[in-house]
Amino acid sequence: FLAARLRVFYEEMLDVKLVVFDEVLEHILRIDRVLRQPMGHLLLCGDAGAGKTVLTKFVSWMNGLNVFQIKAHSKYGISDFYEDLRDVMKRVAIKGEKICFIFDEANCMKSSFIEA
């Protein structure tokens, strides 16, 4: 089942294939278990490029969650960050949308983003 879903995910969302082995499947199951819980949230720590974001996007896609990821640029500031957070909160609270908010190290332009 998982292999078939991964194939569809590759075709729809990715340019490159994931290498799947036992540890990857364990991470997929952990992420899935947390995101299926009401108000489920998690903090993934690890080396950059290890696949945390891709696996989270895959599990979110499998569970029908919309993924929101900040599109940071050189002039992206704290007011832009607050605006993005307000937008996500409105989509969840008013529209009842199910969203997976991904905030990775590439999006953390200033330490004040974390303190917010």
Side-chain angles (χ1 to χ4, degrees):
F1 171 76
L2 190 60
R5 297 295 286 173
L6 271 170
R7 241 185 327 260
V8 174
F9 182 70
Y10 294 147
E11 294 168 4
E12 291 182 9
M13 307 297 277
L14 293 178
D15 297 333
V16 65
K17 288 186 108 178
L18 289 174
V19 177
V20 179
F21 48 93
D22 288 344
E23 287 182 16
V24 170
L25 292 175
E26 290 173 7
H27 286 306
I28 288 172
L29 291 173
R30 285 186 196 109
I31 295 168
D32 182 60
R33 179 175 42 94
V34 172
L35 292 182
R36 284 178 180 261
Q37 295 176 14
M39 298 189 342
H41 59 281
L42 66 152
L43 174 67
L44 298 175
C45 299
D47 296 333
K52 299 177 297 294
T53 302
V54 172
L55 291 181
T56 304
K57 286 181 179 181
F58 170 63
V59 173
S60 299
W61 175 82
M62 257 184 23
N63 289 316
L65 301 173
N66 293 321
V67 174
F68 182 87
Q69 191 169 11
I70 292 170
K71 293 174 180 54
H73 48 79
S74 60
K75 297 191 191 273
Y76 191 87
I78 193 73
S79 60
D80 299 310
F81 180 65
Y82 284 146
E83 185 62 36
D84 283 341
L85 286 179
R86 274 193 292 276
D87 180 48
V88 168
M89 296 300 174
K90 285 177 187 175
R91 287 169 57 187
V92 170
I94 297 171
K95 298 177 183 175
E97 197 173 332
K98 294 186 178 190
I99 295 179
C100 176
F101 179 76
I102 296 177
F103 183 73
D104 61 14
E105 66 272 5
N107 303 126
C108 190
M109 304 295 281
K110 298 178 183 175
S111 62
S112 58
F113 288 9
I114 298 171
E115 296 165 1

